[in-house]
Amino acid sequence: VRNVGAIPVYRKKDGVDTLRNADSFRSIYEALASGDVIAVFPEGESRGTPYLREVKTGAARMALGAEESAGWRAGVRIVPVGITYAEIGRFRTPAEAWIGEPMAVHDSFQAYDHSPILAGRALTLRITEAMRALTLQVPPGDDDGRAAAELASAVEHLMPPDTRPLAARRQAAWNGFERLRERDPDGHARRVEVALQLDKNLTSHGITAIDVLGPAEANPGRIVGELGLRALIGVPLLALCAVVWGLPILLA
């Protein structure tokens, strides 16, 4: 890990001596002052939750400390990045990174001179707001947001495709569904059930919503043809597998 340029950070929750972070921060200051890039998960951990967890002050302290040690001439900038996974928990799922606008930190020198702690908190708030704009934000709920994320994903699959980042499309899907819930709370549970089932049915057959709903792209003949071709190839293969592997599996 060290050979790829990683700098160890010691967390209290891991039961280690956090005083060792002094050497880590010195290495970070030197790297930033020399123009290198430091990548960090500002929440203090990497977990695939569909909402932004509490952003720790570490990223702000790194940036401000590097500037202060270089006499506020290092030109350190913080670039927020939001990561959205197509299917959280699935191995090799596609992921999309949404990169925000860089934030300069040299303008915090007066606040830092007055109180490094308050300056760090203020910069952390800026980082938090920038990260929220780049990530999906759904209520955590009792299941850490998994059900809400699944619904947002299902509704997003049913929307016409556009060029917005994945997180923005899913946020729009969630917000729209929430507006429907506010207008018709009694029918919300049924809408959720229908959306999830429709997405499951389409996905299992390799069909997108635009195949069904798009006026120009809709081609029922192609869809039926694809399903027929799959059956024509799949059924004989299934029968062959049953003949070849059926007896060994039964014996096992």
Side-chain angles (χ1 to χ4, degrees), residues 3 16 49 59 63 84 101 115-116 127 136 138 193 203 209 217-218 242 252:
N3 285 339
V16 296
T49 53
T84 304
E101 293 294 326
S115 172
I127 296 173
L136 175 63
V138 300
E193 180 185 355
T203 302
E217 294 81 1

Side-chain angles (χ1 to χ4, degrees), residues 9-12 21 25 28-29 32 38 40-45 52-66 76 78 103 105 108 112 115-128 131:
V9 176
Y10 304 94
R11 304 181 302 179
K12 185 182 297 184
N21 280 324
F25 271 74
I28 291 169
Y29 297 162
L32 290 175
I38 298 292
V40 59
F41 288 94
E43 298 161 288
E45 55 188 355
L52 187 68
R53 305 176 74 86
E54 179 188 1
V55 175
K56 303 298 191 293
T57 59
R61 288 163 51 207
M62 292 175 192
L64 292 171
V76 175
I78 296 175
M103 297 184 296
V105 299
S108 301
Y112 188 88
S115 172
I117 294 178
L118 293 179
R121 290 176 181 173
L123 184 54
T124 300
L125 287 176
R126 289 173 58 192
I127 296 173
T128 300
M131 293 292 296

